[in-house]
Amino acid sequence: MNTTATATSSATSTPATKKMSLVQLTLLVAVNMMGSGIIMLPANMAQVGAISLLSWGVTALGSMAIAYGFAQAGVFNSKAGGMAAYAEDAYGRDGYFLTFFLYFLSLAIGNVAIAISAVGYLAAFIPWLSSAPIATCIGVIVLVWLTTVANFGGPNITGKIGSITVWGVIIPVAGICVIGWFFFSGTTFKQAWNPQGLSLGAGMGSSIALTLWAFLGMESAAQNSDAVENPKRNVPLACMFGTLGAAVVYILSTTVIQGIVPNKLLAASTGPFADAYAQMFGGTVGTIIRALAILACLGSLLGWQFTIAQTAKTAAGEGLFPAFFAKTNRMLAPVTGMIVMGVVQTILALSTISPSLSEQFSALVGLAVVTNVIPYIIALSALGVIMRKAGGVPQGTYRKNMFVAVVGMLYSTYAIYASGGDAVMGGTIVMALTFIIYGFMATKSPPPASTGPARTA
């Protein structure tokens, strides 16, 4: 295909362009997860009560199983494309497109949700942003385009910026995990445990989608496999290190905050980490932490803008998306695709004008989780085929990998159920639109005989 040749030519004509290292890719995974999820999580979980902390156990195990499955798929399938390439091994081009496009849309939905969260934090410094729905929408659109343009510098620049903005998460969260325990009150935590009188099952289930939202991003290392040094070694390691580190941080930080800030204040907070630091050290420190949190949100949005453009570039290189998505500048940044996705996210942002910010944010999070988890299931279900095609996989390794993959898929299915009826309805509509679009794209694809799985690893 000409598109593949164009992408390959572009990549090989600039051999001196640096790619991401293991540390940079691990930081990108951590930023993609923690930058958006952890910043608002304590407040959202406080609306259920500290009982929601139980859902961390289920989500952490499920997320580790998913990350392990992706890491193993990356070991036996080194093709560019991440989850879509894994799905292609089992389901051909149809599976590739379905996985790619659902994941692609979920990133666009999630980006808008992250931008809305950032605007909520910024409103403490610029009250105009929350003065009217149109003002909030303008703020979201400005952030979307600011982070889009910042990615024009290519993958190495994105990694460097991410390695700076991640400190906006590390400083306040690490501080809470360590120093916060000196301010922890058992009485405050006990009062926050179950203010709604929920059963253990109900409390746990009500927070599954919320906690999984915090882990979304575990797959971004595999998704950026063609932009990293030594991907066969570094992608699995970045998946595991990023997910494991995030799980520990999430559990420690959300637990200790529930024992510092009274439940009613925490549930109504627009900046839970800032309020916790203000409770410990005063308002000035709280303001500083709020500024760092804004930095973290921008870093997370920057990382996701890069990931979504890289996903489109890979699919275009495979002939499953318009060729302009594969065109890059001299820094290997797919600028045209980035601009197109900026327009798509702008349209999504405009759709948030009528509902309230918090209601629309919740709806976007639920829809992003459903559209993200379905590609997880498709890609993980291909692991058995991937290992059989690779050949020489010991029986014990095969059984272990399949067991973990099944755990990851069952957890993903439960997450869809726990996301609620509205999110499932929205995900169903998105899937219907995906098949309609594929009906047009499939007519432009080469015959199946020449485009089936061709991996030789």
Side-chain angles (χ1 to χ4, degrees), residues 25-105:
L25 188 62
T26 301
L27 286 173
L28 180 63
V29 174
V31 167
N32 283 348
M33 283 189 282
M34 293 193 294
S36 61
I38 191 62
I39 292 301
M40 283 301 296
L41 213 56
N44 293 334
M45 295 185 73
Q47 294 173 10
V48 178
I51 191 174
S52 61
L53 293 170
L54 296 175
S55 61
W56 277 125
V58 179
T59 299
L61 289 176
S63 297
M64 289 296 295
I66 294 170
Y68 181 86
F70 287 150
Q72 291 303 306
V75 168
F76 297 109
N77 180 348
S78 59
K79 288 175 61 179
M83 288 189 293
Y86 307 152
E88 185 181 24
D89 260 3
Y91 309 113
R93 303 291 275 184
D94 300 347
Y96 186 108
F97 183 83
L98 180 61
T99 301
F100 154 73
F101 199 70
L102 285 175
Y103 180 74
F104 188 69
L105 291 177

Side-chain angles (χ1 to χ4, degrees), residues 28-389:
L28 180 63
V29 174
V31 167
N32 283 348
M33 283 189 282
M34 293 193 294
S36 61
I38 191 62
I39 292 301
M40 283 301 296
L41 213 56
N44 293 334
M45 295 185 73
Q47 294 173 10
V48 178
I51 191 174
S52 61
L53 293 170
L54 296 175
S55 61
W56 277 125
V58 179
T59 299
L61 289 176
S63 297
M64 289 296 295
I66 294 170
Y68 181 86
F70 287 150
Q72 291 303 306
V75 168
F76 297 109
N77 180 348
S78 59
K79 288 175 61 179
M83 288 189 293
Y86 307 152
E88 185 181 24
D89 260 3
Y91 309 113
R93 303 291 275 184
D94 300 347
Y96 186 108
F97 183 83
L98 180 61
T99 301
F100 154 73
F101 199 70
L102 285 175
Y103 180 74
F104 188 69
L105 291 177
S106 76
L107 297 186
I109 296 167
N111 277 4
V112 179
I114 295 170
I116 291 175
S117 180
V119 168
Y121 267 82
L122 279 169
F125 297 103
I126 311 174
W128 176 81
L129 288 172
S130 60
S131 61
I134 186 63
T136 300
C137 183
I138 291 173
V140 169
I141 292 172
V142 168
L143 290 183
V144 164
W145 282 102
L146 182 65
T147 51
T148 296
V149 173
N151 271 297
F152 288 178
N156 190 44
I157 296 297
T158 297
K160 289 181 178 178
I161 294 176
S163 67
I164 295 173
T165 59
V166 72
W167 291 101
V169 173
I170 292 175
I171 291 175
V173 174
I176 282 288
C177 291
V178 178
I179 304 173
W181 292 102
F182 294 101
F183 298 85
F184 181 85
S185 167
T187 301
T188 301
F189 184 82
K190 185 177 180 180
Q191 292 173 345
W193 176 250
N194 193 5
Q196 299 183 25
L198 300 175
S199 65
L200 287 179
M204 185 183 300
S206 66
S207 300
I208 290 295
L210 194 61
T211 51
L212 181 57
W213 161 254
F215 276 102
L216 296 184
M218 70 189 90
E219 74 289 345
S220 59
Q223 210 65 26
N224 296 314
S225 58
D226 57 346
V228 62
E229 300 169 353
N230 192 7
K232 197 165 186 176
R233 168 184 175 274
N234 290 342
V235 169
L237 289 177
C239 279
M240 297 303 294
F241 290 160
T243 304
L244 181 61
V248 173
V249 168
Y250 287 159
I251 294 172
L252 287 178
S253 61
T254 53
T255 299
V256 72
I257 284 183
Q258 297 270 6
I260 296 175
V261 183
N263 179 260
K264 287 187 178 179
L265 294 178
L266 189 60
S269 174
T270 59
F273 281 94
D275 289 344
Y277 275 90
Q279 192 93 3
M280 293 188 294
F281 303 111
T284 301
V285 175
T287 300
I288 294 173
I289 296 301
R290 184 178 290 275
L292 290 174
I294 293 171
L295 184 67
C297 285
L298 293 177
S300 176
L301 190 55
L302 181 69
W304 279 117
Q305 295 287 21
F306 172 78
T307 298
I308 194 172
Q310 195 69 24
T311 302
K313 171 179 172 290
T314 301
E318 295 288 334
L320 281 173
F321 225 58
F324 60 78
F325 279 99
K327 294 180 180 178
T328 61
N329 63 9
R330 62 184 180 85
M331 301 300 293
L332 293 185
V335 174
T336 304
M338 289 177 176
I339 293 174
V340 171
M341 290 315 302
V343 172
V344 171
Q345 291 169 71
T346 298
I347 294 172
L348 286 169
L350 288 171
S351 71
T352 67
I353 289 180
S354 296
S356 69
L357 188 149
S358 61
E359 289 178 347
Q360 189 63 20
F361 177 79
S362 297
L364 286 167
V365 167
L367 183 58
V369 166
V370 172
T371 53
N372 217 301
V373 161
I374 292 174
Y376 285 178
I377 296 173
I378 298 173
L380 288 174
S381 67
L383 181 57
V385 175
I386 292 172
M387 288 189 290
R388 285 198 296 271
K389 286 186 176 180

